[in-house]
């Protein structure tokens, strides 16, 4: 049985697309968003993708099964995972699903929707269902577990409550337990985390409301996925026991001849492409809290660690739980294990990083301690004026004539996030820093004014960070770049 390879995908920095049900849901960090007000057409097909290490010398590709979608008749770029679907509780989604592969597949959201088995060549629908459960859900193929899901048939559905609990701030959940509600009530509270509530935006600083991100983890194996594609239904590596044994227990091979994962992705991206994707890596000021919805569609536990910062675990449930409940006793940590088929929410308060010393040492706006040069440690002005190599260090461009500035400002504050599973930091078994990497960027502080950093204390940026800022805030015009001085103030949104 030969692989069909109906689509050819290339690794890009645009990431997965976003579908907005009803076109009224606020979204963040995405340029490729599509409205689905009428019908969502899903095609179950296959694809061959250029992976993060692919180049003219190294042909690094992986075969996937994918959910290809059209929203209101408009084709959506194909990727693994499928597009992230955003809705508000009570929205109705109308969907039709066609299976073009050689065995039965499905489209399944636990407790929300179940297409049932769809035979090869068959179409089901249009069918309509109402999204009644808030939170982040994994949609996936629940047949032949876990083969079909891990081969790439999965994606995220994020449902926001229609209203907050009376007298309280919004949370991402229905009927939140008291401890969860208290956390969200404290966001924007001047005595705890001054700044904005989670649901509060600010047009003056191009800051959107309901700041949230989706991280879908996956661990592709090119050798195993190719074997699945070439097997007949019900044989070889399409048998779940064979598949699981191969991907988890194959012996080590220095030539990468085994079936272990060679790539570790978040939203289909790795390395540079995930770390610099504004739809994956949060970019905010202190006082602009965000929620990160994490869904592990793979077969390995991920222990994501945020450097020098902490987050609250407000949801931890198996994806297969039809009645998910928020975590009744949230904890404040910097690393947390996400098992296969878990959904875990991080609430990242975007406070002053706890590693920055001040009176209480917990990142809140207390009287800061002093540097050895007599400056407050916050704002980190001394760091912002440091360049590596020193400003003025130049090299010639490819034309051999044009001088290029090499000095890069240590700004804004960049906090990497990586998985504590060491192998996941690589691609193809040895390319370090090309694996499961995200992070967070702090480019200012809403609560501090003056000190030469603008009304909202916008940290200075070099070109790469300024481009990310423009992407995530939907800005047009020249980059906010100033090599020797400080960044410009807030701009008016053009998008």
């Amino acid at each position: 049985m030969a692989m069909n390879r109906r689509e050819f995908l290339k690794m890009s920095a645009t990431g997965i697309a976003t579908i907005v049900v009803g076109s009224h849901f606020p979204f963040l960090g995405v340029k490729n968003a599509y409205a689905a007000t009428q019908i969502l057409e899903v095609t179950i097909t296959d694809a061959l993708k250029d992976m993060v290490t692919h180049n003219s010398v190294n042909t690094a590709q992986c075969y996937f099964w994918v959910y290809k979608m059209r929203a209101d008749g408009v084709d959506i770029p194909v990727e693994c995972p499928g597009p992230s679907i955003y809705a508000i509780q009570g929205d109705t989604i109308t969907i039709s699903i066609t299976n073009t592969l050689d065995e039965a597949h499905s489209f399944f959201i636990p407790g929300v929707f179940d297409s049932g088995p769809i035979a090869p060549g068959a179409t089901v629908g249009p069918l309509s269902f109402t999204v009644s459960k808030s939170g982040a859900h994994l949609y996936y193929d629940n047949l032949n577990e876990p083969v079909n899901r891990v081969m790439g048939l999965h994606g995220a559905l994020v449902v926001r409550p229609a209203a907050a609990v009376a007298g309280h701030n919004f949370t991402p959940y229905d009927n939140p337990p008291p401890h969860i509600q208290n956390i969200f009530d404290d966001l924007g509270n001047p005595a705890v985390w001054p700044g904005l509530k989670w649901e509060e935006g600010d047009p003056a600083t191009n800051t959107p409301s309901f700041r949230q991100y989706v991280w879908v983890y996956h661990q592709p194996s090119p050798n195993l996925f190719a074997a699945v594609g070439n097997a007949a239904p019900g044989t070889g590596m399409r048998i779940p026991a064979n598949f699981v044994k191969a991907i988890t227990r194959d012996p080590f091979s220095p030539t990468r001849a085994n079936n272990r994962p060679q790539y570790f992705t978040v939203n289909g991206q790795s390395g540079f492409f995930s770390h610099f994707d504004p739809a994956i890596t949060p970019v905010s000021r202190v006082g602009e809290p965000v929620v990160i919805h994490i869904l592990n569609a793979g077969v390995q536990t991920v222990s994501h660690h945020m450097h020098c910062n902490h987050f609250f675990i407000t949801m931890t449930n198996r994806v297969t739980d039809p009645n998910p409940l928020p975590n009744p006793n949230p904890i404040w940590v910097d690393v947390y294990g996400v098992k296969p088929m878990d959904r875990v929410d991080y609430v990242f308060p975007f406070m002053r990083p706890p590693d920055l010393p001040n009176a209480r040492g917990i990142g809140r706006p207390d009287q800061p301690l002093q540097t050895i040069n007599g400056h407050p440690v916050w704002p980190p002005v001394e760091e912002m004026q440091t360049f590596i190599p020193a400003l003025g260090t130049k090299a010639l461009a490819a034309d051999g004539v044009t001088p290029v500035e090499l000095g890069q400002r240590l700004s804004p504050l960049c906090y990497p996030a990586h998985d504590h599973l060491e192998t996941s930091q690589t691609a193809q078994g040895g390319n370090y820093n090309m694996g499961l990497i995200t992070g967070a960027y702090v480019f200012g502080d809403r609560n501090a004014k003056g000190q030469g950093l603008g009304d909202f204390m916008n940290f200075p940026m070099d070109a790469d960070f300024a481009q990310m800022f423009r992407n995530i805030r939907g800005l047009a015009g020249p980059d906010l770049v100033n090599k020797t001085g400080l960044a410009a103030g807030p701009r008016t949104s053009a998008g």
Side-chain angles (χ1 to χ4, degrees):
M1 178 63 65
M3 295 180 290
N4 295 313
R5 300 180 181 176
R6 292 183 174 87
E7 300 287 341
F8 190 83
L9 315 180
K10 291 183 179 293
M11 175 70 75
S12 73
T14 58
I16 57 177
T18 296
I19 297 172
V20 184
V21 175
S23 73
H24 58 270
F25 187 83
F27 49 90
L28 178 65
V30 292
K31 306 290 275 188
N32 50 341
Y34 301 80
T37 59
Q38 300 172 17
I39 188 169
L40 184 62
E41 299 166 85
V42 180
T43 300
I44 299 171
T45 183
D46 57 359
L48 189 67
K49 177 176 178 177
D50 285 351
M51 303 303 288
V52 66
T53 49
H54 179 83
N55 54 48
S56 59
V57 176
N58 179 48
T59 303
Q61 297 176 321
C62 188
Y63 173 77
F64 293 94
W65 291 341
V66 294
Y67 287 123
K68 179 182 178 181
M69 298 193 187
R70 286 168 57 88
D72 291 354
V74 177
D75 286 328
I76 297 173
V78 183
E79 181 52 286
C80 173
S84 292
I85 304 172
Y86 286 78
I88 291 177
Q89 185 182 34
D91 281 344
T92 296
I93 298 176
T94 300
I95 188 172
S96 70
I97 309 154
T98 300
N99 177 17
T100 69
L101 298 181
D102 60 359
E103 63 181 331
H105 289 282
S106 72
F107 188 93
F108 177 67
I109 310 170
V112 179
F113 176 77
D114 185 359
S115 71
I118 305 170
T123 297
V124 299
L127 303 171
S128 294
F129 63 95
T130 299
V131 287
S132 58
K133 300 177 184 294
S134 296
H137 308 269
L138 192 74
Y139 64 79
Y140 63 102
D141 182 350
N142 65 334
L143 305 180
N144 202 35
E145 280 280 357
V147 179
N148 298 0
R149 180 191 84 242
V150 177
M151 282 295 296
L153 292 173
H154 60 262
L157 165 67
V158 179
V159 181
R160 196 201 76 198
V165 176
H168 294 278
N169 291 351
F170 259 96
T171 79
Y173 317 112
D174 309 320
N175 304 313
H179 294 315
I180 298 293
Q181 186 65 69
N182 288 344
I183 290 173
F184 281 86
D185 286 347
D186 283 339
L187 298 177
N189 183 339
V192 186
W193 288 300
L196 300 178
K197 302 175 183 179
W198 175 56
E199 67 268 29
E200 185 179 7
D202 185 356
T205 55
N206 307 293
T207 306
S209 57
F210 295 102
R211 296 166 294 278
Q212 57 187 325
Y213 296 77
V214 172
W215 291 354
V216 179
Y217 298 148
H218 192 213
Q219 303 100 30
S221 167
N223 295 336
L224 178 58
F225 288 13
V228 171
N230 285 316
T235 69
M237 289 302 174
R238 294 200 188 187
I239 299 173
N242 295 346
F243 183 93
V244 172
K245 181 179 178 181
I247 199 170
T248 61
R249 301 184 64 184
D250 254 19
F252 171 77
S253 169
T255 61
R256 302 193 296 270
N258 63 18
N259 290 301
R260 293 293 187 97
Q262 293 183 26
Y263 298 97
F264 301 85
T265 62
V266 53
N267 293 6
Q269 305 293 308
S270 304
F272 171 90
F273 294 97
S274 57
H275 191 55
F276 283 88
D277 187 337
I280 296 174
T281 296
V283 181
S284 277
R285 301 174 184 85
V286 169
E288 296 175 354
V290 306
V291 173
I292 304 173
H293 303 290
I294 298 174
L295 302 129
N296 189 352
V299 294
Q300 294 184 346
T301 296
V302 175
S303 297
H304 221 118
H305 167 57
M306 185 72 73
H307 282 213
C308 305
N309 285 267
H310 289 67
F311 44 83
F312 287 97
I313 304 298
T314 56
M315 165 68 81
T316 173
N317 277 97
R318 296 283 291 174
V319 165
T320 52
D321 183 355
N323 296 299
L325 296 173
N327 184 11
N329 188 27
I331 53 176
W332 195 45
V333 297
D334 66 348
V335 62
Y336 192 80
V338 183
K339 298 177 182 179
M341 296 299 280
D342 272 359
R343 53 178 151 193
V344 172
D345 282 357
Y346 292 173
V347 171
F348 194 68
F350 263 98
M351 61 196 289
R352 295 182 185 181
D355 65 317
L356 294 171
N358 56 47
R360 289 186 289 173
I362 55 174
R364 291 178 180 173
D366 299 328
Q367 181 65 33
L369 302 181
Q370 303 293 306
T371 71
I372 59 174
N373 296 322
H375 294 288
V377 296
W378 188 271
V381 174
E382 292 179 5
E383 179 176 339
M384 301 306 175
Q385 299 307 317
T386 299
F387 293 80
I388 297 179
L391 195 64
T393 304
K394 299 181 183 297
L396 296 180
D399 60 11
V401 177
T402 306
V404 177
E405 174 64 54
L406 299 181
Q408 292 294 308
R409 187 194 298 273
L410 298 186
S411 169
L413 299 182
C414 171
Y415 297 99
H418 66 102
D419 179 18
H420 275 198
L421 177 66
E422 189 63 24
T423 56
S424 73
Q425 303 312 293
T426 69
Q428 285 191 300
N431 290 279
Y432 190 75
N433 206 33
M434 299 289 277
L436 186 60
I437 303 168
T438 59
Y441 292 94
V442 181
F443 72 91
D445 189 335
R446 298 194 61 85
N447 310 299
K449 297 186 179 182
Q451 303 184 61
L453 290 167
D455 289 343
F456 293 94
M457 206 163 87
N458 298 308
F459 298 163
M461 303 182 194
D462 276 341
D464 49 358
F465 296 106
Q467 183 61 47
M468 182 181 287
F469 177 86
R470 289 181 59 211
N471 286 344
I472 202 167
R473 292 296 193 253
L475 298 173
D479 289 340
L480 303 180
V481 181
N482 190 328
K483 276 286 184 186
T484 57
L486 301 173
R491 309 248 323 261
T492 299
S493 175

